[in-house]
Amino acid sequence: MPTVGVNRDKLFEKLGKVYTDEEFDHLCFEYGIELDDVTSEKEMLRKELASAMAKGGDNKLAAEAAAASEEVIYKIDIPANRYDMLCVEGIARALNIFRGTQAAPEYRLADMSGKPLQQMTVKPETSLVRPFVVCAVLRGVAFDAARYNSFIDLQDKLHQNLCRQRTLVAIGTHDLAKIQGPFTYEALPPEDIRFVPLKQTREFNAKELMQYYLDNDQKLKKFVPIIHSSVVYPVIYDANRTVLSLPPIINGQHSAISLETKDVFIECTATDLTKAKVVLNTVVTMFSEYCSRPFEVEPVEVTDAFGNKTVYPDLSCRRLDLTTTYVNSLLGVSLPGPDIATLLNKMQVSATLGPDGTALSVSVPPTRSDILHACDVAEDVAIAHGYNNIATRIPPTATQGRELPLNQVTELLRSELAMAGFTEVLTWALVSRAENFDQLRRPDDGATAVEIGNPATAEFEVCRSSLLSSALKTLGANKENALPIKLFEVSDAILLDSAVAVGARNERRLVAVYCAKESGFEVVHGLLNRVMEVLGVPYRDEPGASSAPVSYHWAPAADPALFPGRQAAVFASTCGDKPVGVFGIVHPEVLTAFELPYPVSALELNIEPFVFDQFYQSKLEPLSN
Amino acid sequence: MADLESQLLQALNEKECIADSGDFAKSQGVDHMAVVGVIRSLQASEMIVAEDIDHFRYALTEESQTYLTAGSPEAQVFAAVGADGISLAELKVKVPGEAGDVGFKQAMQQKWLALDKSAGEPRVVRKVDSIVDSTQALLADIAAGKEVPKADAENLAKKRKLIKPEQWKTYKLSKGPKFALERKKPATDLTFDMLAKGTWRTQEFKDYNFNALGVLPAGGHLHPLLKVRTQFRKIFTQMGFEEMPTNQYVESSFWNFDALFQPQQHPARDAHDTFFLTKPAATPSDRGVPADYLQRVQSVHEVGGYGSAGYGYSWKLAEAEKNLLRTHTTAVSSRMLYRLANQPGGFKPAKYFSIDRVFRNEAVDRTHLAEFHQVEGLVCDRGLTLGDLIGVLQQFFSRLGLKKLRFKPAFNPYTEPSMEIFSYSEQLGKWMEVGNSGMFRPEMLRPMGLPEDVNVIAWGLSLERPTMILYGIDNIRDLFGHKVSLSMVRRNPICRLGL
């Protein structure tokens, strides 16, 4: 969720009202935005300074903090799909219309009859790297410092969000007085592009410029990879071969806008045309507010690589047809048609009621790209009406409550294990490869554990294919406890399995460990016997077991994680000769690897074969594949 | 010991008084400390009364013990010098160490010896012909327990450190209020033996210490987060919800995102937020997802349909096939809803819930883990409304003790309308966000084949947050993971949610 910092007093000026923080918070709540923090530049710098001081001090920052403004800043959280609210202009406009203090503006294109349009021509080579561009002109913009900063901030916010860090769309804004149309959007080898980039005084070629940013510019270097490996770089020229921009990296210094700029040329280059149009519309609808003719935008004709001409921006309203019945039945209200239309006006959406009183023709302005479907319109009605004014109803849906049998058995078994004197732990499914294999002396055959490609935390390399390492880690973290320590967990191990569509499955397991000065092998052995007793599974050699639907037995085994000669595998009669579990004394080298000074015995058991009802009918319900 | 005790009681009975416990110990041939043990025990039982007798004496140090026979250091040095005198170096050999140094200094002070420097190298020579070793005599007196003049004793103790003061106590004993020749030991506990012999009738019992805690039972313990999970499960099932099979952490992007109408460029699908897998890296789209459904999902993303404008981008199958660790249990909900729409006999209303792990590729800190438990509930039926969602939320949260709710408009890619759920905390005096909710978008439901009038209302919250509030835990790593303290697991109350 993007957070926008706005000057409180400037915002209140636009709202024509001074609010207390509480009142403004309440207004935000109703509209669905959130007053996240009340601060000031000074306060923010002070916090930054405090953390810098902790790391050894920063004199420059201290001076900045001392000089910074104490004007109150509201940090406002904006829903991720409301790009039109990423600047103070948009927030104020939305709230004014919501409060009924301002009518929704009509955004329009300037009447260009008899006047030539600015031209942008796309060269076919751009399709190799960044195929789309859309443009517009804002005439007679009255900038002041606050408006100028807001204009820059909005571009930053759009770049971070909708533009996906400039990969999808990049915005370039230029002082039209300094450049000369027609413009061309080209793609050239980087060595052939030469210009003075923004904030630089000398000329670079694009190849050396990329290297310069990689070496020297923390902010810009992260965008370099978007085009770095391309054989040609996108570039926009004017009629005099002046470089406007090298998208999506940097604009030229020559056409840079300033507080004195009156006419602004806006170009958005993109790999996603839909988003480029939304970005352009957002910028022009917000800042046409300051044009000599407010909310009027001068269009630009773009000729694409195939010679097709399109005029941008497209500020037309989209029409959406729905009925008041749909709105009322979705929300569970019975609002009269005219009320619905009025409520929609508060959300910048104009609605016309049909002659039958139920047909609703809705006109979605270019600022509301978030509206995709009638349900979005219905939500706007709900917001304007007030979520908290909607009459509630208990859904009439009559159904039977039911636990998943696997989880029900898990719940029952957990209680039994606690009754047997074992304490429950809850550990992570994500572990390191070493914990899952090497430290357990188990080989990684490459066909056992699910592997993670991009962990933010280095130790999360694989999903655990056994619960044992987690239990041993827990013992290691609790060494100061009085002995014996008896722990258990009933959780899922995750195993590669090509028989499952996604290629892996969970397996519900029980792990129990016993840690004391002596191994306690017979303790975990006894726990296995007790667990089987409560599961109603007889030992194979008990009288009558041969006729039982399921029985179990154990036999000496050779798990490298366990001590030779003091371990056994567990078998269920329903699972053939594939073991369902293992128990034994943990191998001393494993203990060393987990930094455990005392002997440990362990039991790990797959409980899924024992998830059956009282008639021994299996109740496992894997999700359909 | 018992023997010594009865000897002492016997002696006291005969003489009414034992003047000095030290003498009594000697008479019994035992160490005085053994007698003290008996005295303390009898005193505690008020059988005897003991008065302190303080003792003081000087004793020889280990070093001065040797001077009893060898003579004091100064006498040793005087003897070593002999009639002819001796060089300093020779003297050091004859009387080595501390005794030589101290003895030389003392002998010089007493003017027994002098340094003759006339022949170049200084020689130690006698100034007197004979001496009386008074230091040795004093030490001998002290060793024999004889009185010595106070000034001499202090000189030997403080300046020369040849003797050390010793203090000890003995006791004057007389009969106490509960004197008897034999002690009746009060019992600490009622035993089988007492019951069998009937001695419990006359047995004296020791007072019980009611200020101490009892012995904790040696049992196992359930983890607090899972205790809370149990209560949530009960609340859901009591409300008629059926549990979804969420035992599948590995999921395809299709079911986790695409089926939910979450566009492929959505930030949540970034590697920064989601664990993508290198093994198994992908789920081939021909496994598990029917071709016609896949086609409908692609189409609703690209160009819309079902009344939607769609997102207007080029949807990529490879992106949908990427495997990941599910970021929400809603991935399972989408599978369940598809199943519900396509089951034999057609659609039937359903209420589903799940509580299981979800995974986010975040750095671990006080409030974030890479895995946590998501609680999710959904109702799928014909004609459900936003009013139904608010109603079911009020019912659900009031079971958690959160009766005062309000709802904030929110955004979620797969629900519309969407609402954040806030609850007023009386303890904190403020509104707190307790969950998220909404109605699933038609772009998600219609491609599945759910009838036009079927709506799905759903909500979710984390299990960790309410548990942390209930059990007063402020660091999530103290609740979930191998570093959790076992005493935290052992020492927490039952979970009363849902009462």
Side-chain angles (χ1 to χ4, degrees), chain A residues 164 274 330 373 376 379 388 393 397 399 402-404 407 411 424 427 429 446 451 453-454 456 481 504, chain B residues 221 223 230 233 240 243 248 265 271 276 279 306 312 351 357 361 371 381 386 388 407 416 418 441 490:
Chain A
R164 306 296 299 122
T274 309
L330 190 74
H373 187 275
D376 298 295
E379 185 189 61
N388 299 297
R393 180 177 82 155
T397 313
T399 50
R402 192 165 173 267
E403 290 178 83
L404 189 73
N407 291 352
E411 291 280 288
E424 187 173 39
T427 57
E451 296 179 10
N454 59 321
N481 277 254
Chain B
H221 308 264
H223 191 282
T230 299
R233 295 167 60 79
E243 192 170 23
Q248 177 77 56
Q265 312 87 346
F276 286 98
K279 194 192 284 178
Y306 316 97
K351 295 199 285 197
R357 295 185 197 217
N361 195 5
E371 51 190 292
D381 199 355
L386 190 61
D388 287 312
F407 303 94
E416 190 83 6
S418 310
R441 293 190 70 97
R490 290 190 185 113

Side-chain angles (χ1 to χ4, degrees), chain B residues 49 77 88 96 123 128 140 160 173 184 199 215-216 239 260 280 293 308 357-358 362 373 401 446 477 498:
Chain B
V49 174
V77 168
L88 272 172
R123 287 181 69 80
V128 296
R160 302 201 58 184
L173 306 176
K184 270 191 191 161
T199 53
V215 177
L216 284 176
M239 288 174 66
L260 297 169
Y293 175 47
S308 173
R357 295 185 197 217
V358 296
E362 293 191 34
H373 291 75
R446 302 307 155 226
R477 291 169 293 192

Side-chain angles (χ1 to χ4, degrees), chain A residues 40-366:
Chain A
S40 70
E41 251 176 58
K42 203 179 191 92
E43 182 64 31
M44 286 189 281
L45 279 167
R46 226 181 265 141
K47 277 185 193 160
E48 211 178 306
L49 184 64
S51 67
M53 290 309 265
K55 289 174 201 146
D58 184 335
N59 290 334
K60 191 173 150 237
L61 207 55
E64 269 179 46
S69 163
E70 301 216 39
E71 285 181 13
V72 177
I73 291 176
Y74 275 176
K75 295 262 184 190
I76 302 175
D77 282 346
I78 303 296
N81 62 343
R82 287 301 297 270
Y83 313 111
D84 61 314
M85 294 182 75
L86 294 175
C87 57
V88 67
E89 289 76 12
I91 294 171
R93 199 178 298 164
L95 292 178
N96 274 329
I97 296 165
F98 182 60
R99 296 179 312 150
T101 55
Q102 180 188 334
E106 264 185 54
Y107 309 100
R108 60 190 185 280
L109 296 182
D111 178 8
M112 298 301 285
S113 44
K115 283 180 268 182
L117 289 181
Q118 290 289 350
Q119 298 285 331
M120 170 72 80
T121 303
V122 181
K123 296 283 175 70
E125 312 85 75
T126 58
S127 63
L128 291 170
V129 52
R130 198 171 179 87
F132 307 109
V133 66
V134 295
C135 310
V137 172
L138 295 178
R139 290 279 180 187
V141 180
F143 277 125
D144 60 20
R147 291 170 179 184
Y148 181 87
N149 289 337
S150 177
F151 189 57
I152 303 297
D153 285 350
L154 172 64
Q155 293 174 50
D156 268 353
K157 285 278 181 290
L158 286 168
H159 278 151
Q160 285 162 25
N161 294 284
L162 182 57
C163 304
R164 306 296 299 122
Q165 303 295 345
R166 307 193 189 181
T167 54
L168 302 181
V169 188
I171 311 160
T173 56
H174 310 276
D175 189 335
L176 188 56
K178 295 178 182 166
I179 46 178
Q180 178 67 51
F183 306 100
T184 51
Y185 180 38
E186 309 179 14
L188 297 172
E191 294 84 351
D192 298 349
I193 304 169
R194 306 190 62 85
F195 69 113
V196 182
L198 202 61
K199 290 181 180 150
Q200 297 295 333
T201 48
R202 73 171 179 93
E203 193 176 85
F204 287 78
N205 78 42
K207 189 180 175 187
E208 62 173 323
L209 185 62
M210 291 307 103
Q211 197 54 49
Y212 176 82
Y213 287 149
L214 284 176
D215 295 342
N216 300 300
D217 197 310
Q218 285 307 316
K219 181 171 175 251
L220 291 178
K221 76 190 257 189
K222 61 176 190 274
F223 304 119
V224 170
I226 304 173
I227 55 165
H228 201 203
S229 59
S230 175
V231 288
V232 288
Y233 285 6
V235 59
I236 296 178
Y237 285 105
D238 80 347
N240 304 318
R241 298 305 285 170
T242 304
V243 169
L244 269 62
S245 63
L246 180 74
I249 314 296
I250 192 77
N251 291 345
Q253 175 64 30
H254 181 79
S255 57
I257 63 163
S258 69
L259 284 178
E260 281 69 48
T261 300
K262 290 290 164 228
D263 299 333
V264 181
F265 180 75
I266 303 162
E267 39 89 1
C268 300
T269 57
T271 54
D272 181 321
L273 183 60
T274 309
K275 291 198 172 53
K277 291 192 225 173
V278 173
V279 168
L280 182 67
N281 281 355
T282 305
V283 174
V284 300
T285 53
M286 290 303 112
F287 282 86
S288 58
E289 178 177 326
Y290 302 129
C291 286
S292 48
R293 292 161 178 271
F295 305 116
E296 184 178 288
V297 181
E298 181 178 313
V300 173
E301 188 172 72
V302 176
T303 306
D304 72 15
F306 306 101
N308 304 315
K309 292 179 188 301
T310 313
V311 171
Y312 292 105
D314 177 4
L315 294 180
S316 62
C317 290
R318 274 180 301 130
R319 196 177 137 172
L320 232 147
D321 290 311
L322 57 153
T323 63
T324 56
T325 319
Y326 171 79
V327 172
N328 281 326
S329 64
L330 190 74
L331 303 182
V333 292
S334 35
L335 296 168
D339 290 9
I340 291 178
T342 308
L343 290 171
L344 282 173
N345 283 339
K346 292 172 73 174
M347 304 302 289
Q348 311 176 26
V349 176
S350 73
T352 320
L353 210 54
D356 66 345
T358 63
L360 203 58
S361 176
V362 165
S363 172
V364 181

Side-chain angles (χ1 to χ4, degrees), chain B residues 240-380:
Chain B
F241 284 70
E242 179 175 345
E243 192 170 23
M244 293 187 275
T246 48
N247 52 322
Q248 177 77 56
Y249 297 161
V250 175
E251 190 53 277
S252 69
S253 291
F254 179 83
W255 288 108
N256 194 79
F257 290 128
D258 296 279
L260 297 169
F261 196 53
Q262 200 145 340
Q264 295 188 328
Q265 312 87 346
H266 192 276
R269 302 182 70 155
D270 258 18
H272 299 297
D273 292 285
T274 299
F275 287 111
F276 286 98
L277 304 180
T278 47
K279 194 192 284 178
T283 300
S285 58
D286 56 359
R287 296 193 68 181
V289 186
D292 57 336
Y293 175 47
L294 191 78
Q295 179 53 48
R296 290 195 296 272
V297 169
Q298 169 168 5
S299 162
V300 79
H301 276 249
E302 290 186 332
V303 297
Y306 316 97
S308 173
Y311 289 122
Y313 72 101
S314 168
W315 184 89
K316 293 189 177 57
L317 182 62
E319 201 59 43
E321 290 182 333
K322 281 185 184 170
N323 273 343
L324 44 76
L325 295 177
R326 67 171 176 224
T327 62
H328 46 196
T329 51
T330 319
V332 177
S333 311
S334 65
R335 285 178 178 271
M336 292 300 284
L337 289 171
Y338 180 80
R339 193 153 90 176
L340 204 55
N342 296 280
Q343 66 191 355
F347 170 77
K348 281 187 203 69
K351 295 199 285 197
Y352 289 133
F353 84 96
S354 65
I355 309 170
D356 211 336
R357 295 185 197 217
V358 296
F359 300 84
R360 303 280 165 91
N361 195 5
E362 293 191 34
V364 173
D365 64 26
R366 289 184 77 79
T367 51
H368 296 89
L369 288 181
E371 51 190 292
F372 61 93
H373 291 75
Q374 183 187 341
V375 179
E376 184 175 353
L378 67 86
V379 185
C380 177

Side-chain angles (χ1 to χ4, degrees), chain B residues 14 22 28 33 71 96 120 122 132 139 142 189 201 211 217 248 253 271 281 288 347 387 424:
Chain B
E14 282 164 15
Q28 297 295 319
M33 286 318 290
V132 175
L139 289 175
I142 288 164
D189 206 355
R201 294 175 194 280
N211 294 321
Q248 177 77 56
S253 291
F347 170 77
Y424 189 75

Side-chain angles (χ1 to χ4, degrees), chain A residues 354-427:
Chain A
D356 66 345
T358 63
L360 203 58
S361 176
V362 165
S363 172
V364 181
T367 45
R368 292 298 309 275
S369 59
D370 59 297
I371 296 180
L372 302 175
H373 187 275
C375 69
D376 298 295
V377 177
E379 185 189 61
D380 275 5
V381 173
I383 294 171
H385 176 64
Y387 275 7
N388 299 297
N389 299 324
I390 291 171
T392 68
R393 180 177 82 155
I394 302 302
T397 313
T399 50
Q400 206 178 8
R402 192 165 173 267
E403 290 178 83
L404 189 73
L406 174 66
N407 291 352
Q408 198 170 354
V409 169
T410 299
E411 291 280 288
L412 294 169
L413 198 54
R414 286 174 52 236
S415 295
E416 292 289 346
L417 288 157
M419 284 187 248
F422 285 73
T423 290
E424 187 173 39
V425 297
L426 178 68
T427 57

